[in-house]
CSV table of all heavy atoms in Angstrom, one decimal:
chain,number,residue,atom,x,y,z
R,17,PHE,N,0.8,-1.2,0.0
R,17,PHE,CA,0.0,0.0,0.0
R,17,PHE,C,0.9,1.2,0.0
R,17,PHE,O,1.8,1.4,0.9
R,17,PHE,CB,-0.9,0.0,1.2
R,17,PHE,CG,-2.0,-1.0,1.2
R,17,PHE,CD1,-1.8,-2.3,1.8
R,17,PHE,CD2,-3.1,-0.9,0.5
R,17,PHE,CE1,-2.7,-3.3,1.8
R,17,PHE,CE2,-4.1,-1.8,0.4
R,17,PHE,CZ,-3.9,-3.0,1.1
R,18,SER,N,0.6,2.2,-1.0
R,18,SER,CA,1.3,3.3,-1.1
R,18,SER,C,0.8,4.4,-0.1
R,18,SER,O,-0.3,4.3,0.4
R,18,SER,CB,1.3,3.9,-2.5
R,18,SER,OG,0.0,4.3,-2.8
R,19,ASP,N,1.5,5.5,0.1
R,19,ASP,CA,1.0,6.6,0.9
R,19,ASP,C,-0.3,7.2,0.3
R,19,ASP,O,-1.2,7.6,1.0
R,19,ASP,CB,2.0,7.7,1.0
R,19,ASP,CG,3.2,7.3,1.9
R,19,ASP,OD1,3.1,6.2,2.6
R,19,ASP,OD2,4.3,8.0,1.9
R,20,ALA,N,-0.3,7.2,-1.1
R,20,ALA,CA,-1.5,7.7,-1.8
R,20,ALA,C,-2.7,6.8,-1.5
R,20,ALA,O,-3.8,7.3,-1.3
R,20,ALA,CB,-1.3,7.8,-3.3
R,21,ASP,N,-2.5,5.5,-1.5
R,21,ASP,CA,-3.5,4.5,-1.2
R,21,ASP,C,-4.1,4.8,0.2
R,21,ASP,O,-5.3,4.8,0.5
R,21,ASP,CB,-3.0,3.1,-1.2
R,21,ASP,CG,-2.7,2.7,-2.6
R,21,ASP,OD1,-3.2,3.2,-3.6
R,21,ASP,OD2,-1.8,1.8,-2.7
R,22,LEU,N,-3.2,5.1,1.2
R,22,LEU,CA,-3.6,5.3,2.5
R,22,LEU,C,-4.4,6.6,2.6
R,22,LEU,O,-5.4,6.7,3.4
R,22,LEU,CB,-2.4,5.3,3.5
R,22,LEU,CG,-1.6,4.1,3.5
R,22,LEU,CD1,-0.4,4.2,4.5
R,22,LEU,CD2,-2.5,2.9,4.1
R,23,ALA,N,-4.0,7.6,1.9
R,23,ALA,CA,-4.7,8.9,2.0
R,23,ALA,C,-6.1,8.8,1.5
R,23,ALA,O,-7.0,9.4,1.9
R,23,ALA,CB,-3.9,9.9,1.1
R,24,GLU,N,-6.3,7.9,0.4
R,24,GLU,CA,-7.6,7.7,-0.2
R,24,GLU,C,-8.5,7.0,0.9
R,24,GLU,O,-9.6,7.2,1.1
R,24,GLU,CB,-7.5,6.9,-1.5
R,24,GLU,CG,-8.9,6.6,-2.1
R,24,GLU,CD,-8.8,5.8,-3.3
R,24,GLU,OE1,-7.7,5.3,-3.7
R,24,GLU,OE2,-9.8,5.7,-4.0
R,25,LEU,N,-7.9,5.9,1.5
R,25,LEU,CA,-8.6,5.1,2.5
R,25,LEU,C,-9.0,6.0,3.7
R,25,LEU,O,-10.1,5.8,4.2
R,25,LEU,CB,-7.7,4.0,2.9
R,25,LEU,CG,-8.3,3.0,4.0
R,25,LEU,CD1,-9.5,2.4,3.5
R,25,LEU,CD2,-7.2,2.0,4.5
R,26,PHE,N,-8.1,6.8,4.2
R,26,PHE,CA,-8.3,7.7,5.4
R,26,PHE,C,-9.1,8.9,5.1
R,26,PHE,O,-9.5,9.6,6.0
R,26,PHE,CB,-7.0,8.0,6.1
R,26,PHE,CG,-6.2,6.9,6.5
R,26,PHE,CD1,-4.8,7.0,6.7
R,26,PHE,CD2,-6.7,5.6,6.7
R,26,PHE,CE1,-4.0,5.9,7.0
R,26,PHE,CE2,-6.0,4.5,7.1
R,26,PHE,CZ,-4.6,4.7,7.3
R,27,ILE,N,-9.2,9.2,3.8
R,27,ILE,CA,-9.9,10.4,3.3
R,27,ILE,C,-9.2,11.7,3.9
R,27,ILE,O,-9.8,12.6,4.5
R,27,ILE,CB,-11.4,10.5,3.6
R,27,ILE,CG1,-12.0,9.1,3.3
R,27,ILE,CG2,-12.1,11.6,2.8
R,27,ILE,CD1,-13.5,9.0,3.6
R,28,THR,N,-7.9,11.7,3.7
R,28,THR,CA,-7.1,12.8,4.3
R,28,THR,C,-6.3,13.5,3.1
R,28,THR,O,-6.2,13.0,2.0
R,28,THR,CB,-6.0,12.3,5.3
R,28,THR,OG1,-5.2,11.3,4.8
R,28,THR,CG2,-6.7,11.7,6.5
R,29,ALA,N,-5.6,14.6,3.4
R,29,ALA,CA,-4.8,15.3,2.4
R,29,ALA,C,-3.6,14.4,2.0
R,29,ALA,O,-3.3,14.3,0.8
R,29,ALA,CB,-4.4,16.6,2.9
R,30,SER,N,-2.9,13.9,3.0
R,30,SER,CA,-1.7,13.1,2.8
R,30,SER,C,-1.4,12.1,3.9
R,30,SER,O,-2.0,12.3,5.0
R,30,SER,CB,-0.5,14.1,2.6
R,30,SER,OG,-0.1,14.6,3.9
R,31,VAL,N,-0.6,11.2,3.6
R,31,VAL,CA,-0.2,10.2,4.7
R,31,VAL,C,1.3,9.9,4.4
R,31,VAL,O,1.7,9.7,3.3
R,31,VAL,CB,-1.0,8.9,4.6
R,31,VAL,CG1,-0.4,7.9,5.6
R,31,VAL,CG2,-2.4,9.1,4.9
R,32,THR,N,2.1,10.0,5.5
R,32,THR,CA,3.4,9.6,5.4
R,32,THR,C,3.7,8.6,6.5
R,32,THR,O,2.9,8.4,7.4
R,32,THR,CB,4.4,10.8,5.6
R,32,THR,OG1,4.0,11.5,6.8
R,32,THR,CG2,4.2,11.8,4.4
R,33,ARG,N,4.9,7.9,6.4
R,33,ARG,CA,5.2,6.9,7.5
R,33,ARG,C,6.2,7.5,8.5
R,33,ARG,O,7.0,8.3,8.2
R,33,ARG,CB,6.0,5.7,6.8
R,33,ARG,CG,5.3,5.2,5.5
R,33,ARG,CD,4.0,4.6,5.6
R,33,ARG,NE,3.3,4.3,4.3
R,33,ARG,CZ,3.3,3.1,3.7
R,33,ARG,NH1,4.0,2.1,4.3
R,33,ARG,NH2,2.8,3.0,2.5
R,34,GLY,N,6.0,7.0,9.7
R,34,GLY,CA,6.8,7.5,10.9
R,34,GLY,C,6.8,6.4,11.9
R,34,GLY,O,6.7,5.3,11.7
R,35,GLN,N,6.9,7.0,13.2
R,35,GLN,CA,7.0,6.1,14.4
R,35,GLN,C,5.6,5.9,15.0
R,35,GLN,O,5.4,4.8,15.6
R,35,GLN,CB,8.0,6.7,15.4
R,35,GLN,CG,9.4,6.8,14.9
R,35,GLN,CD,10.0,5.4,14.5
R,35,GLN,OE1,9.8,4.5,15.2
R,35,GLN,NE2,10.7,5.4,13.4
R,36,ALA,N,4.8,6.9,14.9
R,36,ALA,CA,3.5,6.8,15.6
R,36,ALA,C,2.5,7.7,14.9
R,36,ALA,O,2.9,8.6,14.0
R,36,ALA,CB,3.6,7.2,17.0
R,37,ILE,N,1.2,7.7,15.2
R,37,ILE,CA,0.2,8.5,14.5
R,37,ILE,C,0.3,10.0,15.0
R,37,ILE,O,0.4,10.2,16.2
R,37,ILE,CB,-1.2,8.0,14.8
R,37,ILE,CG1,-1.4,6.6,14.2
R,37,ILE,CG2,-2.3,9.0,14.3
R,37,ILE,CD1,-2.7,5.9,14.4
R,38,ALA,N,0.3,10.8,14.0
R,38,ALA,CA,0.4,12.3,14.3
R,38,ALA,C,-0.5,13.0,13.2
R,38,ALA,O,-0.5,12.6,12.1
R,38,ALA,CB,1.8,12.9,14.3
R,39,VAL,N,-1.2,14.1,13.6
R,39,VAL,CA,-2.0,14.7,12.7
R,39,VAL,C,-1.8,16.2,12.8
R,39,VAL,O,-1.6,16.8,13.8
R,39,VAL,CB,-3.5,14.5,13.0
R,39,VAL,CG1,-4.4,15.2,12.1
R,39,VAL,CG2,-3.8,13.0,13.0
R,40,SER,N,-1.7,16.9,11.6
R,40,SER,CA,-1.6,18.4,11.5
R,40,SER,C,-2.4,18.9,10.4
R,40,SER,O,-2.9,18.1,9.5
R,40,SER,CB,-0.1,18.8,11.3
R,40,SER,OG,0.4,18.2,10.2
R,41,ARG,N,-2.6,20.2,10.3
R,41,ARG,CA,-3.4,20.8,9.2
R,41,ARG,C,-2.5,21.0,8.0
R,41,ARG,O,-1.4,21.5,8.1
R,41,ARG,CB,-4.0,22.1,9.7
R,41,ARG,CG,-5.1,22.6,8.7
R,41,ARG,CD,-5.6,24.0,9.0
R,41,ARG,NE,-6.7,24.3,8.2
R,41,ARG,CZ,-6.7,24.6,6.9
R,41,ARG,NH1,-5.6,24.6,6.2
R,41,ARG,NH2,-7.8,24.9,6.3
R,42,THR,N,-3.0,20.6,6.9
R,42,THR,CA,-2.2,20.7,5.7
R,42,THR,C,-2.2,22.2,5.2
R,42,THR,O,-3.0,22.9,5.4
R,42,THR,CB,-2.8,19.8,4.5
R,42,THR,OG1,-1.9,19.9,3.4
R,42,THR,CG2,-4.2,20.4,4.1
R,43,ASP,N,-1.1,22.5,4.4
R,43,ASP,CA,-1.0,23.8,3.8
R,43,ASP,C,-1.3,23.8,2.4
R,43,ASP,O,-1.3,24.9,1.7
R,43,ASP,CB,0.5,24.4,4.0
R,43,ASP,CG,0.8,24.6,5.5
R,43,ASP,OD1,-0.1,25.0,6.2
R,43,ASP,OD2,2.0,24.4,5.8
R,44,ASP,N,-1.7,22.7,1.9
R,44,ASP,CA,-2.0,22.5,0.4
R,44,ASP,C,-3.3,23.2,0.1
R,44,ASP,O,-4.2,23.4,0.9
R,44,ASP,CB,-2.0,21.1,0.0
R,44,ASP,CG,-0.7,20.4,0.1
R,44,ASP,OD1,0.3,21.2,0.0
R,44,ASP,OD2,-0.6,19.2,0.4
R,45,SER,N,-3.5,23.5,-1.2
R,45,SER,CA,-4.8,24.1,-1.7
R,45,SER,C,-5.8,23.1,-2.2
R,45,SER,O,-5.4,21.9,-2.4
R,45,SER,CB,-4.4,25.1,-2.9
R,45,SER,OG,-3.6,26.1,-2.4
R,46,LYS,N,-7.0,23.5,-2.3
R,46,LYS,CA,-8.2,22.5,-2.5
R,46,LYS,C,-8.5,22.6,-4.0
R,46,LYS,O,-8.7,23.6,-4.6
R,46,LYS,CB,-9.4,22.9,-1.7
R,46,LYS,CG,-10.6,22.0,-1.9
R,46,LYS,CD,-11.8,22.6,-1.3
R,46,LYS,CE,-11.8,22.5,0.2
R,46,LYS,NZ,-13.1,22.9,0.8
R,47,CYS,N,-8.6,21.4,-4.5
R,47,CYS,CA,-9.1,21.2,-5.9
R,47,CYS,C,-10.6,21.6,-6.0
R,47,CYS,O,-11.4,21.2,-5.1
R,47,CYS,CB,-8.9,19.7,-6.4
R,47,CYS,SG,-9.7,19.4,-8.0
R,48,GLY,N,-11.0,22.4,-6.9
R,48,GLY,CA,-12.3,22.9,-7.0
R,48,GLY,C,-13.4,21.9,-7.4
R,48,GLY,O,-14.5,22.1,-7.4
R,49,ARG,N,-12.9,20.7,-7.9
R,49,ARG,CA,-13.9,19.7,-8.3
R,49,ARG,C,-14.0,18.5,-7.4
R,49,ARG,O,-15.1,18.2,-6.9
R,49,ARG,CB,-13.4,19.1,-9.7
R,49,ARG,CG,-14.3,18.1,-10.3
R,49,ARG,CD,-14.0,17.8,-11.8
R,49,ARG,NE,-14.9,16.8,-12.3
R,49,ARG,CZ,-14.6,15.5,-12.3
R,49,ARG,NH1,-13.5,15.0,-11.7
R,49,ARG,NH2,-15.4,14.6,-12.8
R,50,CYS,N,-12.8,17.9,-6.9
R,50,CYS,CA,-12.9,16.8,-6.0
R,50,CYS,C,-12.7,17.1,-4.6
R,50,CYS,O,-12.9,16.3,-3.7
R,50,CYS,CB,-11.9,15.7,-6.4
R,50,CYS,SG,-10.2,16.2,-6.1
R,51,TRP,N,-12.3,18.4,-4.3
R,51,TRP,CA,-12.1,19.0,-3.0
R,51,TRP,C,-10.9,18.3,-2.2
R,51,TRP,O,-10.7,18.6,-1.0
R,51,TRP,CB,-13.4,18.8,-2.1
R,51,TRP,CG,-14.5,19.6,-2.5
R,51,TRP,CD1,-14.6,20.3,-3.6
R,51,TRP,CD2,-15.8,19.8,-1.8
R,51,TRP,NE1,-15.9,20.9,-3.8
R,51,TRP,CE2,-16.6,20.6,-2.6
R,51,TRP,CE3,-16.2,19.3,-0.6
R,51,TRP,CZ2,-17.8,21.0,-2.2
R,51,TRP,CZ3,-17.5,19.6,-0.3
R,51,TRP,CH2,-18.3,20.5,-1.1
R,52,ARG,N,-10.1,17.6,-2.9
R,52,ARG,CA,-8.8,17.1,-2.3
R,52,ARG,C,-7.9,18.3,-2.2
R,52,ARG,O,-7.8,19.1,-3.1
R,52,ARG,CB,-8.2,16.0,-3.2
R,52,ARG,CG,-9.0,14.7,-3.3
R,52,ARG,CD,-9.0,13.9,-2.0
R,52,ARG,NE,-7.6,13.5,-1.6
R,52,ARG,CZ,-6.9,12.5,-2.0
R,52,ARG,NH1,-7.4,11.7,-3.0
R,52,ARG,NH2,-5.7,12.3,-1.6
R,53,LEU,N,-7.1,18.2,-1.1
R,53,LEU,CA,-6.1,19.3,-0.9
R,53,LEU,C,-4.8,18.6,-1.2
R,53,LEU,O,-4.3,17.6,-0.5
R,53,LEU,CB,-6.1,19.7,0.6
R,53,LEU,CG,-7.2,20.7,0.9
R,53,LEU,CD1,-8.5,20.0,1.3
R,53,LEU,CD2,-6.8,21.6,2.1
R,54,LEU,N,-4.1,19.1,-2.3
R,54,LEU,CA,-2.9,18.4,-2.9
R,54,LEU,C,-1.9,19.5,-3.2
R,54,LEU,O,-2.2,20.6,-3.6
R,54,LEU,CB,-3.4,17.7,-4.1
R,54,LEU,CG,-4.5,16.5,-4.0
R,54,LEU,CD1,-5.0,16.1,-5.3
R,54,LEU,CD2,-3.9,15.4,-3.2
R,55,PRO,N,-0.6,19.0,-3.2
R,55,PRO,CA,0.5,19.9,-3.5
R,55,PRO,C,0.4,20.4,-4.9
R,55,PRO,O,0.9,21.5,-5.2
R,55,PRO,CB,1.7,19.0,-3.3
R,55,PRO,CG,1.3,17.9,-2.4
R,55,PRO,CD,-0.1,17.7,-2.7
R,56,GLU,N,-0.2,19.6,-5.8
R,56,GLU,CA,-0.2,20.0,-7.3
R,56,GLU,C,-1.2,21.1,-7.6
R,56,GLU,O,-1.2,21.6,-8.7
R,56,GLU,CB,-0.5,18.7,-8.1
R,56,GLU,CG,-1.9,18.2,-7.8
R,56,GLU,CD,-2.1,16.8,-8.4
R,56,GLU,OE1,-1.5,15.9,-7.8
R,56,GLU,OE2,-2.8,16.6,-9.3
R,57,VAL,N,-2.1,21.4,-6.6
R,57,VAL,CA,-3.1,22.5,-6.8
R,57,VAL,C,-2.5,23.8,-6.4
R,57,VAL,O,-2.2,23.9,-5.2
R,57,VAL,CB,-4.4,22.2,-6.0
R,57,VAL,CG1,-5.4,23.3,-6.2
R,57,VAL,CG2,-5.0,20.8,-6.4
R,58,ALA,N,-2.3,24.7,-7.3
R,58,ALA,CA,-1.6,26.0,-7.0
R,58,ALA,C,-2.5,26.9,-6.1
R,58,ALA,O,-2.0,27.4,-5.1
R,58,ALA,CB,-1.3,26.7,-8.3
R,59,GLU,N,-3.8,27.0,-6.4
R,59,GLU,CA,-4.7,27.9,-5.6
R,59,GLU,C,-6.0,27.2,-5.4
R,59,GLU,O,-6.4,26.3,-6.2
R,59,GLU,CB,-4.9,29.2,-6.3
R,59,GLU,CG,-3.6,30.1,-6.4
R,59,GLU,CD,-3.9,31.4,-7.1
R,59,GLU,OE1,-5.1,31.6,-7.4
R,59,GLU,OE2,-3.0,32.2,-7.3
R,60,ASP,N,-6.7,27.5,-4.3
R,60,ASP,CA,-8.0,27.0,-4.1
R,60,ASP,C,-8.9,27.2,-5.3
R,60,ASP,O,-9.0,28.4,-5.8
R,60,ASP,CB,-8.6,27.6,-2.9
R,60,ASP,CG,-8.1,27.1,-1.5
R,60,ASP,OD1,-7.3,26.0,-1.6
R,60,ASP,OD2,-8.3,27.7,-0.5
R,61,GLY,N,-9.5,26.1,-5.8
R,61,GLY,CA,-10.4,26.3,-6.9
R,61,GLY,C,-9.8,25.8,-8.2
R,61,GLY,O,-10.5,25.4,-9.1
R,62,ASP,N,-8.5,25.7,-8.3
R,62,ASP,CA,-7.9,25.1,-9.4
R,62,ASP,C,-8.1,23.6,-9.4
R,62,ASP,O,-8.6,23.0,-8.4
R,62,ASP,CB,-6.3,25.4,-9.4
R,62,ASP,CG,-6.0,26.8,-9.7
R,62,ASP,OD1,-6.9,27.5,-10.1
R,62,ASP,OD2,-4.8,27.2,-9.4
R,63,LEU,N,-7.9,22.9,-10.5
R,63,LEU,CA,-8.1,21.5,-10.7
R,63,LEU,C,-6.8,20.7,-10.5
R,63,LEU,O,-5.8,21.1,-10.9
R,63,LEU,CB,-8.8,21.2,-12.0
R,63,LEU,CG,-10.1,21.8,-12.3
R,63,LEU,CD1,-10.6,21.2,-13.7
R,63,LEU,CD2,-11.1,21.5,-11.2
């Protein structure tokens, strides 16, 4: 399972591996169609 698979399963912006569970707010922007917050989205509302 990739990190992208886990993000889809958890319905989160991103997932990375570490020592224990930790959660923080993402700084990425929101896709205007699927509402995913991803690094590839330059500004909120872009696709």
Side-chain angles (χ1 to χ4, degrees):
F17 292 95
S18 67
D19 290 347
D21 293 333
L22 298 178
E24 181 181 9
L25 177 63
F26 302 155
I27 316 178
T28 58
S30 69
V31 175
T32 54
R33 317 290 172 99
Q35 298 299 318
I37 294 177
V39 181
S40 60
R41 193 186 190 287
T42 185
D43 295 325
D44 294 330
S45 298
K46 179 191 289 187
C47 172
R49 182 171 179 269
C50 69
W51 293 7
R52 294 286 304 276
L53 284 83
L54 300 166
E56 65 197 70
V57 180
E59 296 180 1
D60 285 347
D62 291 348
L63 298 185

